[in-house]
Amino acid sequence: MKSISKETILKMDKIEKLNLINSCTGFKSANLIATKSIEGNTNVAIFSSVTHLGSSPSLIGFIVRPTTTPRDTYKNIMETGYFTINHITVDMIADAHHTSANYESGLSEFDKTNLEEEYKEGINIPFVKGSPVQLYCKFVNEYLIKENNTIHVIASIENIFFEEVLEHKDGWLQLDKGNVVTLNGADGYFLPKLIDRFQHAQQDIPTKSFRKDKE
Amino acid sequence: MKSISKETILKMDKIEKLNLINSCTGFKSANLIATKSIEGNTNVAIFSSVTHLGSSPSLIGFIVRPTTTPRDTYKNIMETGYFTINHITVDMIADAHHTSANYESGLSEFDKTNLEEEYKEGINIPFVKGSPVQLYCKFVNEYLIKENNTIHVIASIENIFFEEVLEHKDGWLQLDKGNVVTLNGADGYFLPKLIDRFQHAQQDIPTKSFRKDKE
């Protein structure tokens, strides 16, 4: 195996370092976060740090860098208190990636891509049309990570919208049935396929599959 | 599309709620975190919340619930200051899942599964043998997320070990070349395959692929 030390990483070219460190933690969630400013300007930006924090209460977190792109996302969330998380499908990847371009503040990536705004009854913030899982989220708190001046935004899930074909009886949403992608690094888009799903692990009992054909 | 409100989620059965909320944020990283106690007891546990925080300095974060399983991971990190992150391959998934069983504190999951400890020169903490990407990490800080009493552990990457077949010239590690899996929910193991990799997005210029066959 190849080994790269912290000292070598520090001396690496900026892009090479970014690619290595972005790809070394594993596959990441691929989401479009859509927001609206208090003046009514919409924004949509790709994020790969949305993480489940707990189900009771239903909380998620993600990381923002307020001093760099995409700054509008954070500004809009601070103004309205709400945002939406939209899963990216295979046919959206080129447009989703384009939302990371450095457009001037206030300009909507919905106008610069084929991504379309979708509105739901009683909700003033846009969703991304065609996304098979969409979350309506409310800002709850933020934690400054002082080690690199990023912000960990904590939000509650107010409403979950999903295509019914994804749903299992026990609540599980099977994402490959919606062609949902995952990110490897800053720019590699991958399509995952189910290998197996396991039952709750128990002491000294071998792992059991949910799939009858694997029993 | 089906819609489930916060009020309905609150009233859901515990397992159904856990499955829904765990699967609704997208695909997750699948990592084995290995640690050693100050007395020398090893531990390995599966985590799906390891997230890239930044490359300069190289920082990662993950979420622990200190009051529930896997409590040894957090305790050992607090004792020694170090841990390793190991990517899970297809042939490890049953053993990786089994590390989530509720074994008594101090007992090593390395003894209860086919997962094997691997030691590297100058490092006292175990890695997981056969894992194609392994990170040696140092505890830096922790943030209590008071909304649900979880802890966001922040760590620096001290050393990256990886199989050379994964490496691209620009630093990117292509994880499907190591058969690395991703998690959907608490128990669904998926194998991702590369669809496309894009160049840095620029204003008003269509998304460009890195792949010559897609140009």
Side-chain angles (χ1 to χ4, degrees), chain A residues 19-197:
Chain A
N19 284 328
L20 176 65
I21 304 302
N22 250 293
S23 60
C24 78
T25 53
F27 287 104
K28 306 191 288 183
S29 50
N31 295 121
L32 287 165
I33 295 188
T35 55
K36 193 185 263 190
S37 73
I38 204 83
E39 295 89 14
N41 295 322
T42 60
N43 188 274
V44 58
I46 190 165
F47 281 82
S48 61
S49 60
V50 173
T51 305
H52 163 84
L53 293 181
S55 53
S56 291
S58 300
L59 295 173
I60 64 98
F62 69 97
I63 304 295
V64 284
R65 292 169 176 73
T67 53
T68 59
T69 308
R71 51 193 178 273
D72 278 347
T73 301
Y74 179 71
K75 180 185 82 66
N76 293 348
I77 293 172
M78 290 300 114
E79 287 179 3
T80 67
Y82 290 91
F83 61 95
T84 71
I85 294 175
N86 305 270
H87 288 215
I88 298 168
T89 61
V90 172
D91 55 356
M92 285 181 198
I93 59 174
D95 285 312
H97 190 69
H98 191 73
T99 65
S100 62
N102 192 17
Y103 284 109
E104 61 190 283
S105 181
L107 191 144
S108 178
E109 292 80 4
F110 281 116
D111 295 332
K112 291 292 184 177
T113 64
N114 294 313
L115 300 170
E116 287 181 55
E117 297 178 20
E118 177 180 272
Y119 287 91
K120 308 208 190 260
E121 206 185 319
I123 300 177
N124 186 38
I125 310 291
F127 291 85
V128 177
K129 192 173 175 179
S131 173
V133 182
Q134 304 166 325
L135 311 179
Y136 180 51
C137 297
K138 183 182 178 178
F139 174 85
V140 171
N141 204 352
E142 60 181 323
Y143 294 89
L144 173 68
I145 300 173
K146 65 177 189 205
E147 286 70 26
N148 66 351
N149 284 311
T150 53
I151 290 175
H152 191 201
V153 173
I154 314 296
S156 63
I157 298 173
E158 299 295 303
N159 226 308
I160 304 181
F161 301 88
F162 56 85
E163 287 177 8
E164 291 186 55
V165 66
L166 276 64
E167 187 181 33
H168 283 240
K169 279 181 186 167
D170 63 0
W172 187 55
L173 302 181
Q174 187 178 335
L175 300 179
D176 60 347
K177 292 192 172 177
N179 288 319
V180 171
V181 301
T182 181
L183 266 164
N184 170 197
D187 47 25
Y189 292 80
F190 287 66
L191 185 65
K193 288 293 165 192
L194 179 64
I195 312 164
D196 209 345
R197 188 177 174 215

Side-chain angles (χ1 to χ4, degrees), chain A residues 2 4 6 24 53 65 87 94 103 112 141 143 147 158 160 162 187 189 195-197 204 207, chain B residues 2 4 6 24 53 65 87 94 103 112 141 143 147 158 160 162 187 189 195-197 204 207:
Chain A
K2 187 164 173 176
I4 301 184
K6 188 179 188 171
C24 78
L53 293 181
R65 292 169 176 73
H87 288 215
Y103 284 109
K112 291 292 184 177
N141 204 352
Y143 294 89
E147 286 70 26
E158 299 295 303
I160 304 181
F162 56 85
D187 47 25
Y189 292 80
I195 312 164
D196 209 345
R197 188 177 174 215
D204 298 314
T207 302
Chain B
K2 188 164 173 176
I4 302 183
K6 188 178 188 173
C24 78
L53 293 182
R65 292 169 178 71
H87 288 215
Y103 284 109
K112 291 291 184 177
N141 203 353
Y143 294 88
E147 286 70 28
E158 300 294 303
I160 304 180
F162 56 86
D187 47 24
Y189 292 80
I195 312 163
D196 209 344
R197 187 177 175 215
D204 299 314
T207 302

Side-chain angles (χ1 to χ4, degrees), chain B residues 151-188:
Chain B
I151 291 176
H152 191 200
V153 173
I154 315 295
S156 63
I157 298 173
E158 300 294 303
N159 226 307
I160 304 180
F161 301 89
F162 56 86
E163 287 176 7
E164 291 187 56
V165 67
L166 276 62
E167 187 181 34
H168 284 239
K169 279 181 187 166
D170 63 0
W172 187 56
L173 302 180
Q174 187 179 336
L175 300 179
D176 60 347
K177 292 193 173 177
N179 287 319
V180 170
V181 300
T182 181
L183 267 164
N184 170 196
D187 47 24

